[in-house]
Amino acid sequence: MISTLDRPNKIPGDAYRFGAFADGCVLLNKKKNHLPAMGWNSWNAFGSGNTEALTKMMADKMVELGLKELGYRYVVLDDGCYKSERVNGELSNENVKFPSGFRALSDYVHSLGLRFGMYNDIGTNLCAGAAVGTCGHENVDAHSYIEWGVDFLKVDNCYYLWDNATFSAGTNAKYTYAPKIKSIRICGNGIEKFYDAVQDGVLTGQGCKKEEDCVWNIGTFDGTNVGTTPVGIRSGELEFSVEVPVAGEYEVFVTYASGEEPGVGRWMQIGVGDTVAYDEMVVATEDKDTYAEGEGIPVTLVAGANCLRVMNHRRQENTLMSYAALLEELNKVNPEHDIIYSICEWGKTQPHNWGYKVGDSWRILNDITFCVGSDGNPGRGTWFDQGTASVTSQYDKAVVMDEFAGLTKGWNDPDMLMIGMDGLTETMNKTHMTMWCMMNSPLMLGLDLRRVKQGDALHRIIANKELIALNQDALGIQAKRVFTTIPTETPDTDYITNHNRCDILAKPLADGSVAISFINVNDKDYEGTLSITTEQIVKLLRHKMVKADVFAEAKNYEITDLWSGQVTENANGTFKVNGLAACDNVTIRVTPV
């Protein structure tokens, strides 16, 4: 399934279609049961300025600081490590920054008992501009990565040909939206029927819009930025109930107006029930306001009622196929490989719906910071931001995505940790760590590790064994938000961006205990009482708990504060905190005695 450069790949089978996203089946023998990856990534620390020397220093520091023993194993080269163009069609190391080559650096990392990771893109170029994306080169790149001993691949989504992704042509929206639909006409077996899109059509899912004379915006939401909930169907369809007296072959004639911009495209899919009968680029109309009737599209109808669907799920299907193309080639080169595959398309195509089929994790939003560091400059992180670039922006979305994650699926990725960058206080860093551990997010450090000393404040945060144990717990259950001070009946699924709140998260663990986090999302102190009971926890999480009845019926509980280390007992089954400082958290492990 090597990618082409002239049009999106033909979908090879129903397993790659939108209709199969919820079937729970992985593709291409994707390995399951990987716990969230832990390690260090070069981007937040050094941006495109990372070097071989700096990478070796970071690997040495991971060993020196005892991080390797805690589970931080992957040393990942991000963007900026390749030459700007391919050499004889192959990827090649940038000679000044990585003079020894990638195999030698991989050997060095492996010699320390660590694992080696690299970066690429499903587009034509990397985000920093190098024209070495994997598109069309999946086979040769797979050989390179296996030859270099790569254990982890982060694959980005810039310059992508089949969507208006970052640095891609805006006109690529033609692939991701259907045209404006005015009407359809059904002909065959002596029958002709006309259906008006506005009067007779039904909008399903979300996103489609009706105007006076058409239905448009038929496609999939762009989830790159904040504000689009990940819960529920993130795309829309236009459906018609078509009745015919005779079963047989018919033709559908669609009257449409096409464009090449968000909301109005040129790629249209026609389905009858669960069968996709047409999946193709339509002939362009004069402009997006000039309608024309297209050629007849053959469909098979049954006698009686038929559900005819006009749709475009290609934004998701194309991206899935592009990520699958590289995995397929890696499998061909080495069927036994166990490379961790990190999908980095920023939540654009709602990858939590399909990413589990080929990947071990999937980014849920755009970057957590755009103020990356360099050698001597730590970069900057923020607690709040109107866009994606903050701890809370990433947390707000990831915290309601627990049902999409798990050992048989993979992990929601709210991007690399900003702990150790300027702009965040020690308290913010502690809560940042807590959030990511409770949510089973990959723990990829993004700081210059030369800033860390054994036993200092930064080290105590990133080396907190008890917090890491939550993230790496064998049960593999992402915490569920069971309460928030913002009034809502469904705190676990409501996407809340109002930061004037406190949340309570609960996470079942493999030994039958439960971790509970009380989190003040606000930058002002909370003076009230936050509490949760055994009964509430079991009611919400029984189906995910180990020995739920033992937890529910215990007469006493051992309470371990995972930041202070203090151990106390609780006999009433109500767990609470009285007041919570700004941006702070109290996280406990509750073990039935």
Side-chain angles (χ1 to χ4, degrees):
M1 194 166 54
I2 299 293
S3 299
T4 63
L5 301 179
D6 58 344
R7 60 174 285 129
N9 283 339
K10 183 178 179 180
I11 295 178
D14 288 344
Y16 291 83
R17 289 201 180 275
F18 173 78
F21 287 177
D23 66 7
C25 298
V26 301
L27 298 171
L28 303 169
N29 195 33
K30 190 209 88 166
K31 309 295 193 302
K32 299 181 181 181
N33 300 316
H34 287 136
L35 288 166
M38 296 176 61
W40 176 86
N41 178 290
S42 65
W43 185 253
N44 283 357
F46 304 123
S48 294
N50 187 38
T51 66
E52 177 181 315
L54 286 170
T55 303
K56 287 183 175 181
M57 290 181 201
M58 298 304 109
D60 291 343
K61 289 293 288 186
M62 287 174 69
V63 175
E64 174 192 323
L65 294 168
L67 299 176
K68 181 184 78 169
E69 283 69 29
L70 293 171
Y72 293 97
R73 294 293 177 86
Y74 295 97
V75 178
V76 182
L77 305 184
D78 211 287
D79 207 344
C81 58
Y82 303 105
K83 286 183 178 177
S84 60
E85 295 183 353
R86 291 174 176 268
V87 177
N88 297 322
E90 297 184 352
L91 300 168
S92 182
N93 54 293
E94 208 283 333
N95 288 338
V96 174
K97 291 190 288 185
F98 294 89
S100 302
F102 297 134
R103 181 71 222 196
L105 182 55
S106 173
D107 289 344
Y108 182 83
V109 169
H110 288 143
S111 74
L112 299 177
L114 299 169
R115 297 168 186 167
F116 183 60
M118 294 197 71
Y119 167 93
N120 210 301
D121 195 290
I122 60 169
T124 58
N125 297 54
L126 310 187
C127 292
V132 295
T134 65
C135 184
H137 303 278
E138 290 88 353
N139 180 264
V140 67
D141 291 352
H143 277 89
S144 294
Y145 291 131
I146 296 297
E147 180 182 335
W148 294 335
V150 170
D151 306 297
F152 180 105
L153 270 174
K154 174 185 173 182
V155 182
D156 226 322
N157 188 39
C158 290
Y159 295 94
Y160 187 48
L161 291 170
W162 319 125
D163 196 353
N164 52 322
T166 298
F167 306 127
S168 299
T171 57
N172 285 353
K174 64 177 174 280
Y175 299 110
T176 60
Y177 291 93
K180 293 182 356 183
I181 307 298
K182 186 178 182 66
S183 63
I184 65 169
R185 185 166 58 94
I186 308 293
C187 296
N189 298 303
I191 297 166
E192 182 177 34
K193 288 196 170 188
F194 176 88
Y195 297 85
D196 181 82
V198 176
Q199 300 300 319
D200 303 315
V202 176
L203 308 186
T204 64
Q206 297 184 53
C208 296
K209 298 178 182 180
K210 282 188 177 182
E211 300 291 349
E212 289 184 2
D213 65 341
C214 72
V215 172
W216 65 289
N217 208 49
I218 302 171
T220 301
F221 287 4
D222 185 337
T224 305
N225 213 317
V226 298
T228 301
T229 177
V231 179
I233 296 175
R234 306 268 54 86
S235 57
E237 299 182 2
L238 170 63
E239 295 186 356
F240 297 91
S241 179
V242 174
E243 291 202 19
V244 294
V246 179
E249 300 302 311
Y250 292 80
E251 286 188 301
V252 179
F253 296 85
V254 181
T255 298
Y256 66 87
S258 71
E260 298 185 350
E261 61 186 56
V264 185
R266 285 184 55 199
W267 198 285
M268 185 170 67
Q269 295 173 317
I270 299 290
V272 179
D274 294 331
T275 301
V276 178
Y278 179 83
D279 185 8
E280 192 54 78
M281 184 88 78
V282 300
V283 176
T285 58
E286 183 178 336
D287 56 51
K288 67 176 183 177
D289 296 313
T290 301
Y291 293 95
E293 185 177 76
E295 296 182 355
I297 297 169
V299 296
T300 302
L301 303 179
V302 300
N306 295 264
C307 178
L308 191 141
R309 304 156 60 203
V310 181
M311 54 198 174
N312 184 352
H313 295 296
R314 276 290 194 153
R315 169 170 267 164
Q316 294 180 301
E317 293 166 345
N318 287 342
T319 313
L320 167 58
M321 287 192 296
S322 292
Y323 279 99
L326 181 56
L327 178 61
E328 183 176 42
E329 296 306 316
L330 289 167
N331 290 345
K332 289 179 182 177
V333 177
N334 180 7
E336 303 303 316
H337 81 85
D338 200 26
I339 292 173
I340 298 295
Y341 198 14
S342 172
I343 294 171
C344 181
E345 58 79 89
W346 337 299
K348 187 175 188 67
T349 68
Q350 319 298 331
H352 54 282
N353 295 147
W354 56 263
Y356 75 93
K357 289 184 171 290
V358 293
D360 293 287
S361 62
W362 40 88
R363 280 276 298 281
I364 64 162
L365 283 172
N366 213 326
D367 291 4
I368 195 171
T369 180
F370 297 107
C371 300
V372 300
S374 58
D375 190 2
N377 169 21
R380 187 171 185 84
T382 58
W383 184 254
F384 296 128
D385 189 84
Q386 293 297 314
T388 68
S390 72
V391 172
T392 55
S393 298
Q394 301 282 339
Y395 167 76
D396 289 341
K397 187 173 182 181
V399 76
V400 297
M401 298 177 68
D402 57 291
E403 295 297 339
F404 299 102
L407 286 170
T408 61
K409 300 175 184 176
W411 311 107
N412 301 305
D413 182 3
D415 206 2
M416 294 166 283
L417 293 161
M418 296 190 292
I419 296 166
M421 302 178 78
D422 284 353
L424 298 178
T425 66
E426 181 179 343
T427 298
M428 292 173 180
N429 283 331
K430 288 171 61 179
T431 302
H432 184 8
M433 182 73 174
T434 294
M435 290 169 166
W436 267 232
C437 288
M438 288 290 285
M439 297 189 303
N440 280 66
S441 307
L443 297 181
M444 301 303 291
L445 300 172
L447 77 162
D448 183 342
L449 290 171
R450 292 172 298 183
R451 302 190 81 196
V452 184
K453 300 292 187 291
Q454 188 83 33
D456 70 4
L458 285 175
H459 186 261
R460 289 195 299 271
I461 293 170
I462 63 176
N464 184 318
K465 293 181 181 180
E466 298 292 340
L467 263 294
I468 292 171
L470 304 184
N471 181 271
Q472 297 291 299
D473 183 74
L475 194 59
I477 301 293
Q478 177 176 327
K480 184 177 286 291
R481 182 168 63 192
V482 294
F483 175 81
T484 180
T485 53
I486 298 289
T488 174
E489 294 183 358
T490 52
D492 60 326
T493 57
D494 277 0
Y495 181 24
I496 301 170
T497 57
N498 179 350
H499 297 132
N500 184 22
R501 73 178 199 270
C502 292
D503 292 344
I504 303 178
L505 278 55
K507 176 177 170 58
L509 302 171
D511 66 353
S513 61
V514 175
I516 303 173
S517 279
F518 304 88
I519 296 173
N520 187 354
V521 185
N522 203 356
D523 60 354
K524 296 178 177 59
D525 293 350
Y526 180 76
E527 297 180 355
T529 297
L530 299 169
S531 68
I532 190 78
T533 66
T534 300
E535 290 76 16
Q536 290 172 307
I537 292 170
V538 174
K539 180 180 178 181
L540 292 167
L541 295 172
R542 172 181 287 275
H543 63 295
K544 296 186 176 186
M545 296 173 65
V546 174
K547 300 178 182 177
D549 289 337
V550 172
F551 187 87
E553 298 167 8
K555 304 301 182 186
N556 205 1
Y557 300 89
E558 181 180 272
I559 309 299
T560 305
D561 186 310
L562 302 188
W563 282 110
S564 71
Q566 181 181 14
V567 179
T568 58
E569 291 189 357
N570 177 297
N572 62 20
T574 297
F575 315 106
K576 64 182 181 179
V577 296
N578 295 313
L580 198 54
C583 309
D584 205 355
N585 78 100
V586 171
T587 300
I588 59 176
R589 186 172 186 138
V590 179
T591 305
V593 178

